[in-house]
Amino acid sequence: MFSKFMLTILLFSFQVLGVETFKIAIYYPQVPPYMYAADDNVPQGVVPELLNAFFLGQPYQLQYVFENRQRAELGVYEGKYDATVLAAKWTIDASALLFSQPIVNHRDFLYSLKPLQQNLANLDRNSICLRRYYKYDALNNELDKGSLIRVDSDSEFDQFNMLVNQRCDLAYMNEHVATWLINNHFSTMVFHRNNVEADQADLTLALNPKWAGLKQQLDIFIKDAHRRGVIEKSLTQHMKKTK
C-alpha cells in the first residue's frame, strides 16, 4: 500500500519543481471502498491506491478534490478537473470524454428489510432511496410510471439509514459499497438483496480529451494491475471492517 508519508513527499517535491498538476475529482460524500478519506482527509480506497502508484512514474502532480457527483462530471467537460470516476453510460455526453480501461465491475442491487420481489416489473408503489444526482437507467421505466417513487439522499450511508428508519421501502446501490456499509455501520441489521443485479457497468476514470496520451499509459497500467491481482487485493482489503 502506498504510504501517506511518501505521498506527501511526492506532492511537495512536485510543488517545488513547478510540475503540471493532474486534478481528479473524487466524490463527496464518499464512496468506500472505492474512494474515501480517513480523519486526516488523505484520500484512500481502491481508486486512490491505483492512481497514487501510477503517478509515481509520471511527471505530474496528482491532486485530489472532493466534489459532488454532478459538479465532478461537469468540471471534467469544462476542464476545471482533468478526470473523475465514472462509467460511460452514466454521463451526459460520453463522446466528450475519454474512458480508461475498467477498474472494477460495478454491479447494483436492490436492498430491503423484507424479502424482495425479484422482478422489477412486480414492484408496485414502493419508495426507493437513491443517491442525489445519480442516473439510474435500470429503474427509468419504474420511476416514470410511478411503480417506484424516488427519494433522494446525499450518500449511500444515508440511503441505508433512511431504509432502516422506514423512510423508504427499498435502497439501490453498488454491492461493494453496500457490503462496506453493512460491515462498518449496519452490522446488527438484516438486509435482503435481490438475487440478480439490476444493472452493471464498468467503473472507469473519465478524462478530459487533452489527456489522450496519458490515457494510453494509464490503460497499460490498469491492465497490468488486473493481471497481477493488485486491484482485487486492494478491493478485498478495503472491504474489511475498519473498526
Side-chain angles (χ1 to χ4, degrees), residues 3-26:
S3 83
K4 295 175 183 177
F5 175 75
M6 287 300 297
L7 177 59
T8 301
I9 294 298
L10 178 66
L11 294 181
F12 176 76
S13 298
F14 281 158
Q15 289 167 355
V16 171
L17 295 172
V19 175
E20 184 178 1
T21 298
F22 185 93
K23 189 179 294 185
I24 176 168
I26 57 176

Side-chain angles (χ1 to χ4, degrees), residues 88-137:
K89 66 190 295 184
W90 302 339
T91 60
I92 299 168
D93 184 5
S95 65
L97 302 173
L98 302 177
F99 297 92
S100 73
Q101 286 290 309
I103 299 173
V104 296
N105 180 235
H106 186 286
R107 302 195 305 166
D108 292 321
F109 292 85
L110 289 169
Y111 294 84
S112 174
L113 299 181
K114 299 181 292 187
L116 273 161
Q117 294 278 355
Q118 296 301 314
N119 190 337
L120 287 177
N122 294 332
L123 298 173
D124 184 28
R125 300 294 293 173
N126 283 269
S127 57
I128 183 167
C129 282
L130 302 174
R131 185 156 173 173
R132 199 181 314 276
Y133 305 125
Y134 278 30
K135 292 173 59 179
Y136 296 95
D137 292 339

